[in-house]
Amino acid sequence: MSAKAIREATGKRILNQHLTGTAAEPCRFAAVSESTDWGELVAENPWLRSEKLVVKPDQLIKRRGKLGLIAVNADLSAVRSWVGERMGRDQTVGRATGKLRNFIIEPFVTHKQDEEAYVCIYSHRYADTILFHHEGGVDIGDVDAKATKVDVAVGASITAAEIEEKLLKKLPQLKKKMVATFIEKLYQVYVDLYFTYLEINPLVVTSKSIYILDLAAKIDATADFICRQKWGEIEYPPPFGRDAFPEEAYIADLDAKSGASLKLTILNKSGRIWTMVAGGGASVIYSDTICDLGGAPELANYGEYSGAPTEQQTYEYAKTILSLMTQEKHPKGKVLIIGGGIANFTNVAATFKGIVTALQEFQPKLVEHNISIFVRRAGPNYQEGLRIMREVGQNLGIPLHVFGPETHMTAIVGMALGKKPIPSVTAMEFSTANFLLPGGQNKESPLQSRKSSTSTLAPTTTSRETSGQASGQSGDAPQRKGVLFNKSTKAIVWGLQTRAVQSMLDFDFVCCRTEPSVVAMVYPFTGDHKQKFYWGHKEILIPVYKKMEDAMTKHQNADVLVNFASLRSAYESTVDTMNYPQIRTIAIIAEGIPENLTRKLILMAQEKGVTIIGPATVGGVKPGCFKIGNTGGMMDNILHSKLYRPGSVAYVSRSGGMSNELNNIVSKATNGVLEGVAIGGDRYPGTNFMDHIMRYQADPEVKMIVLLGEVGGVEEYDVCNALSDGRITKPLVAWCIGTCAGMFTSEVQFGHAGSCANSDRETAVAKNKALAEAGAHVPSSFDSLGDLVAEVYESLVQEGVILPAPEVPPPTVPMDYSWARELGLIRKPASFMTSICDERGQELNYAGMPISDVLKQNLGIGGVISLLWFQRCLPPYVCKFFEMCLMVTADHGPAVSGAHNTIVCARAGKDLVSSLVSGLLTIGDRFGGALDGAARQFSEAYDSGLIPMEFVNAMRKKGQLIMGIGHRVKSINNPDMRVKIIKEFVLEHFPSTPLLRYALEVEKITTSKKPNLILNVDGIIAVSFVDLLRHSGSFTRQKENQKYCWALSKISIHRAQCVLLHLHIFMNKEEAQEYIEMGSINSLFVLGRSIGFIGHYMDQKRLKQGLYRHPWDDISYVLPEQYN
């Protein structure tokens, strides 16, 4: 939604900050809520004690004076009493009943009746209208009939002199200049701060000052990225009669952080009918159908998810719905309708996985609350999505019925409400593109089973030219006036939308175009380059330009721009595009462009003769010729809806998602679509219904027209006028969605920004009635739209207006490898394997543990090592041991070889990584590698049964040093504190330390010969690590243990226990040896010493040390005495 109402207090705060240079007195007010501390309120606003006051609710309630919801000329105690009597109490306003929770208190302004005036500013497509009446107040009556009006064109301004001349004729002369200046400044604020509606009644005008008493306002919430600093923090209250729920705020926050669309409005928390619908237009239609079937009193919510939300986002959305559903029980049980049209680009399986996760999580509560679920969905990968749903339905223990595009979109509503029988078996589609899916080999081909109402298949017709001639039209014929696209149309795409471009190229290929429709892409965030795409089986390159100018100059045959820029940059990129006369059509995909900017684009486009489709659209399609972006969805839907060749029906819709549903309906009821355009769901689409309907009227290939309008706006009345005066003569089937709006007690903003009625004339019911009276074919509901389309089509066939042509089989379209893999059609061996980390989901996993759990459980760096090195979460004492090892091995001064190398590289100007690596490369048997060597030598000696003295003697006989024994400085009399600390920790916390105790016995022997032959840091870490691997109980080979299960079951319990004990020790030794051999013990030294090396690098850089040159006097030069 773009235009959102704000509280009176918010509006007055904004005007206080920005309305300057006028005679208007600053608005003084105090806002009161249920949590207000009156003592603090009075301290912050001392005028509350000293002045007479006015108090009223601040909850978007109209005509508060007539409802008696205002107290005037009261003191503070009376105001507190008045508020206390009403706070939290039910209040009925019209059909809505709600609780009063917010009030505004202001000073009472003493004035005369003739000092009250009325001023209002509101926006429409081409201008802003300013209304002024010299009389105001509660008894003003019909403002539209009484007030003087002036329109200010979009982008224009108005002066005080013009205001005085056109609006203030009945105002006393002495006040005219003051009021004119006020209105001039007020309008400037209105435009600059993106207001869409601003009403002040009464506006008190005395001889010297102006007072803003009552104010109602709406702002364009999509302009938040422009006006956030000027607006400050804004709370958008719900309409009166509907409380704000924390779940709504949670979904709104998810929506704000997502590129997808997530909406939730709770209508009746105790209702039994809940919906989870994909698509803005589809969500309205499902609500319409529920209300048509008598379910309005039990409809619990309105909402939608669309725009390809992630699996995690749909999980959060579904979890929120299910938590609300299961808070209260209903005697009849509850139903959940998971519906949607045919998606254009949303991966149905991915979104359904999120929903399935939520369903499984709530399974016990679903059973407890007797919930039945009805699913209908289609679009990319829908077959897998429906399979997942059917599979989970077998385990939930509740009724779950699943349907695809073979079932009418809203048929599940009748089933859920008990108005229609639930079919026991439904036909399922088993193809995607021209490939069979698993399980579909014995089914009839979908292409052959989709019977045309007018023709039969003609497999022998295979000419590549046939699709362009099916309706008597040549693909290369000159473009007729009013026709936007043909087989020669060339487009430039703004944005690096490779998936959408590939979709357009696949459509070109299946339509038998000779050349791709996309000639170039523009993306200012990369340099000029070429992007690879597929044209059938072949690979082609499409240039990507950094500058729009380069693309236009080098591709002057392009006359369409498909703009995928974000809502923040779509305006600038579209303005830039309109500087090039070659562009005749621009499709703006982004949703949420501020209305003021869109209105400027509309005027600019009209001046330059450019057709704009959008904003907030998926685009449009010309079967057999051209499609915009993701329109039409995946190739399976394009083939099923026969969009690869032209038909006879043209449609125009607001909803992009519903355009795919219209393609499906029209293809089943007629010979197919000739052209379809989704003008977009924003309040001001670039082109309106009439722009396209009149094109269709002028196109002889169009035999009938379908219009899908919606609640909000008055554009459909232009169609009524054209029908009445004979400008439209072709059969027009029309339906406006949103008929449910009048059944709700409070205002509901539907999925599209423009789908909200501001008057009775803008309701869907009124528009459907007007269209029928004007001569359009209007069904009784959306459910019967397809039947009416078929009826009108058959009559045209009977009259000979349409001559059905033989069906043309499309060429086989290759499937992308990535999509085939997604569908499970192919398999490929992996290039390499990993078992420690997975970054593919919504959250990074370390050995199966989500990173959030790693942080929440405070595992520390030792815990991370245990997960990534050993694939398991080791006990806390083990993690502490790892961290101690890292600390004691982090550094041993600048003189050791590794640190020395690092310092030399750093001083040579090398980067951090190069300097670090130079130090790490010195680690080996002579430096640092003693850990692995010590572990190996002590383990082999201990395992072979050598007593410590035998081990020492054996090593002496071999002439080998004992790794981990000896120190240059430390000795038995000057012990290494690092060794002491680790030894004490291990002996205290490790469950068993046989190898450490063995090494300590060896130390006694070696130190008796020489005091410095102590167990050093390398040795203590190595033997402790081996004890850890062998005796912590965390390292066993499950697969090997399982091999002995059968044998153990055949022997005595005592014998089995002995074998298991032996096996446990044996397997620990084996796995420990494997970790030793792979270098895991030395890895602690490598990781620890990296910390020190990095420290030395940073130290040298910080000290700004120059290039190192070793001094001559520290080098012994040994050369031959003479040259031989």
Side-chain angles (χ1 to χ4, degrees), residues 278-286 302 304 409 655 657-658 710 737 751-752:
S283 62
V284 179
I285 292 173
Y286 274 95
Y302 167 78
E304 58 115 348
M409 190 180 86
S655 168
M658 288 309 301
E710 65 181 31
I737 65 175
H752 296 150

Side-chain angles (χ1 to χ4, degrees), residues 135 170 219 252 292 314 347 393 437 439 469 491 512 541 548 560 577 623 699 740 745 771 778 828 906 932 970 1010:
E135 297 174 344
K170 295 184 180 181
I219 59 175
D292 289 343
T314 49
N347 186 330
L437 287 177
Q469 300 166 355
C512 304
L541 296 175
M548 179 80 74
V560 174
T577 303
D699 189 344
C740 62
T745 56
L771 285 164
V778 179
K828 170 185 174 291
D932 282 342
K970 300 296 181 181
K1010 198 172 183 180

Side-chain angles (χ1 to χ4, degrees), residues 102 115 147 171 242 281 284 290 317 547 743 750 832 838 937-938 944 1040 1062 1096:
N102 296 86
E115 291 177 327
L171 199 68
R242 183 160 52 78
V284 179
I290 290 168
Y317 187 83
K547 297 180 180 179
M743 301 184 189
F750 295 110
F832 62 86
D838 190 346
Q937 288 179 354
F938 279 103
S944 63
E1040 295 296 326
H1062 172 76
H1096 284 295

Side-chain angles (χ1 to χ4, degrees), residues 932 935-936 939 1026 1029 1072-1081:
D932 282 342
R936 190 177 302 109
S939 297
V1026 175
L1029 292 172
Q1073 189 62 32
E1074 184 179 353
Y1075 274 113
I1076 293 170
E1077 290 171 358
M1078 70 174 65
S1080 65
I1081 300 178

